[in-house]
């Protein structure tokens, strides 16, 4: 029998091949609950500050004319599950691992995308409306997508969808953002100050969540290399395909950036909850760390894309970027008068 002592943590209780899983100690369990509560409160505060950048009439405009939301919907529940299916087949991973990759692809957008949309000067009104709608639609689309894609490997009925967690995510998003929108409507100058503070706090929070996740589950980092590769490719594929589809659909550049982030930035906390509710300890050994791997790489690539955008704007195309944004806005404004069915309007560029 193969000796795993050289690759597994000394206190690991389940070892198989190159993967090992150690049970959480009581300390880690308590710390996990405390940090989860604290981070939820902090995230709600950050989303409140993001809401201070959302204008009510523009937000409602996206709801009444949901072409941008529809494009995001196609990316979220069309591109991501299909990409997960293709990656799973291409790498020939185990059935239980393929199912977890697909669960990740079927999850709604994460709230971190709203923070990053602000930093890349995206459409905050569209970003918040997309996150809200994708979380709400996930109540029906997640079971449907999982039924379509996972039946190749398992019975989709064995996958537990935590509707209470989805509901909690929706409430934690809608209420703080709604309050922020009201503050922006009543006290716009104060809202700008709150937004600046919240945007910085949000960036710190994103890094903090990744670090805490790595510390809490450090003994589960040894996992099959194929999942590391998929966890690296998947988010960048989501960002790229989301951007391309939005551009094909005639969206202006700042909305393309928004749709790209909404597509690649998944709700990894929800994925982790589903995985823990749906699989046995033996199966968790093979997949437990994948949501965390995806979470880290989606943040890393988002930070790289942000750096590229900031560098380009500063050194290469500041004036061109400003001119382009104005042109996009003019095209969008003219298109709104030409709409007859609130549908597709091609970009003039």
């Amino acid at each position: 029998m193969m000796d795993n002592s050289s690759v597994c943590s000394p206190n690991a209780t389940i070892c198989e091949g190159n993967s090992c899983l150690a049970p959480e100690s009581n300390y880690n369990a308590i710390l996990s609950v405390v940090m989860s509560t604290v981070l939820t409160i902090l995230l709600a505060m950050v989303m409140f500050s993001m809401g201070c950048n959302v204008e009510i009439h523009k937000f409602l405009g996206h709801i009444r004319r949901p072409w941008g939301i529809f494009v995001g919907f196609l990316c979220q529940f069309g591109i991501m599950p299909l990409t997960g299916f293709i990656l799973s087949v291409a790498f020939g991973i185990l059935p239980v691992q393929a199912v977890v990759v697909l669960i990740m692809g079927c999850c709604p957008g994460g709230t971190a995308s709203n923070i990053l949309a602000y930093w890349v000067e995206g459409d905050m009104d569209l970003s918040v409306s997309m996150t809200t709608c994708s979380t709400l639609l996930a109540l029906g689309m997640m079971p449907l997508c999982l039924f379509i894609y996972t039946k190749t490997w398992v019975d989709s009925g064995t996958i537990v969808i935590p509707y209470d967690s989805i509901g909690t995510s929706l409430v934690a998003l809608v209420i703080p953002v709604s309050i922020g929108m009201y503050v922006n409507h009543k006290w716009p100058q104060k809202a700008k100050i709150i937004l600046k503070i919240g945007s910085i706090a949000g960036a710190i929070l994103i890094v903090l969540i990744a670090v805490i996740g790595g510390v809490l589950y450090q003994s589960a980092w040894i996992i099959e290399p194929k999942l590391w590769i998929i966890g690296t490719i998947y988010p960048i594929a989501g960002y790229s395909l989301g951007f391309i589809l939005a551009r094909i659909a005639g969206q202006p550049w700042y909305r393309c950036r928004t749709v790209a982030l909404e597509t690649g930035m998944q709700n990894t906390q929800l994925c982790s909850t589903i995985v823990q509710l749906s699989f046995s300890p033996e199966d968790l050994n093979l997949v437990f760390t994948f949501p965390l791997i995806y979470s880290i790489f989606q943040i890393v690539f988002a930070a790289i894309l942000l750096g590229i955008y900031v560098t380009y704007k500063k050194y290469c195309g500041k004036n061109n970027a400003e001119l382009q944004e104005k042109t996009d806005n003019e095209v969008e404004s003219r298109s709104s008068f030409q709409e007859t069915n609130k549908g597709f309007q091609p970009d003039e560029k």
Side-chain angles (χ1 to χ4, degrees):
M1 184 176 177
M2 180 179 176
D3 182 12
N4 292 324
S5 60
S6 60
V7 295
C8 285
S9 174
N11 64 333
T13 57
I14 304 173
C15 290
E16 183 176 335
N18 291 327
S19 299
C20 66
L21 179 67
E24 288 185 276
S25 65
N26 290 335
Y27 171 77
N28 269 3
I30 295 172
L31 180 61
S32 179
V33 172
V34 172
M35 293 308 300
S36 177
T37 303
V38 172
L39 290 176
T40 300
I41 295 172
L42 291 175
L43 184 60
M45 295 173 65
V46 170
M47 293 314 299
F48 160 69
S49 68
M50 293 295 103
C52 290
N53 196 39
V54 177
E55 298 180 27
I56 296 177
H57 70 280
K58 290 184 179 180
F59 178 82
L60 294 177
H62 285 300
I63 302 299
R64 288 193 295 264
R65 297 187 295 274
W67 178 239
I69 295 176
F70 179 70
V71 172
F73 171 82
L74 289 179
C75 293
Q76 194 72 62
F77 297 110
I79 286 180
M80 291 303 285
L82 179 59
T83 302
F85 181 81
I86 292 173
L87 288 173
S88 299
V89 173
F91 282 90
I93 55 180
L94 297 174
V96 65
Q97 295 172 332
V99 170
V100 172
V101 172
L102 285 166
I103 290 173
M104 177 61 72
C106 295
C107 284
T111 51
S113 61
N114 307 128
I115 301 170
L116 287 163
Y118 169 80
W119 282 105
V120 299
E121 298 180 344
D123 188 336
M124 283 298 298
D125 307 285
L126 177 61
S127 179
V128 171
S129 60
M130 282 180 63
T131 303
T132 303
C133 290
S134 69
T135 304
L136 181 61
L137 292 171
L139 295 170
M141 291 305 301
M142 282 193 71
L144 176 61
C145 291
L146 289 172
F147 172 76
I148 293 173
Y149 288 105
T150 63
K151 62 182 180 180
T152 303
W153 294 287
V154 297
D155 178 9
S156 60
T158 61
I159 301 174
V160 180
I161 306 295
Y163 293 102
D164 54 342
S165 295
I166 297 176
T168 300
S169 298
L170 192 60
V171 171
L173 170 67
V174 171
I175 292 179
V177 169
S178 299
I179 297 174
M181 291 168 63
Y182 177 77
V183 171
N184 187 32
H185 178 70
K186 296 290 290 185
W187 305 284
Q189 295 302 319
K190 293 181 179 179
K192 291 180 181 179
I193 298 174
I194 295 173
L195 176 62
K196 290 180 180 179
I197 297 173
S199 62
I200 297 173
I204 296 173
L205 183 60
I206 290 174
V207 177
L208 186 63
I209 290 174
V211 171
I212 290 174
V215 171
L216 286 178
Y217 304 112
Q218 56 183 324
S219 55
W221 276 106
I222 302 174
I223 199 168
E224 188 172 349
K226 288 181 180 180
L227 287 182
W228 276 97
I229 298 173
I230 292 175
T232 305
I233 296 174
Y234 207 172
I236 195 63
Y239 293 139
S240 303
L241 294 174
F243 187 93
I244 292 170
L245 181 60
R247 195 58 189 160
I248 291 174
Q251 296 297 296
W253 291 106
Y254 72 110
R255 285 189 179 173
C256 290
R257 297 194 294 270
T258 304
V259 173
L261 288 171
E262 289 292 330
T263 303
M265 190 71 67
Q266 298 292 84
N267 189 333
T268 54
Q269 294 89 347
L270 179 61
C271 180
S272 295
T273 301
I274 296 174
V275 168
Q276 293 181 57
L277 290 175
S278 303
F279 298 105
S280 65
E282 291 75 15
D283 288 335
L284 283 175
N285 168 53
L286 301 171
V287 298
F288 183 73
T289 317
F290 180 75
L292 186 58
I293 293 174
Y294 186 99
S295 177
I296 289 175
F297 281 108
Q298 74 176 3
I299 293 171
V300 168
F301 286 123
I304 292 173
L305 294 174
L306 173 59
I308 293 173
Y309 173 73
V310 171
T311 302
Y312 171 79
K313 181 181 175 183
K314 185 175 181 180
Y315 295 105
C316 302
K318 183 175 181 180
N319 294 331
N320 289 337
E322 290 175 352
L323 177 61
Q324 185 62 62
E325 297 297 333
K326 291 179 181 178
T327 302
D328 288 334
N329 288 333
E330 290 172 359
V331 169
E332 183 183 358
S333 177
R334 288 196 297 270
S335 298
S336 65
F337 288 100
Q338 299 167 356
E339 288 178 343
T340 56
N341 59 357
K342 309 301 182 185
F344 171 72
Q345 291 290 336
D347 200 355
E348 291 187 358
K349 289 193 319 58

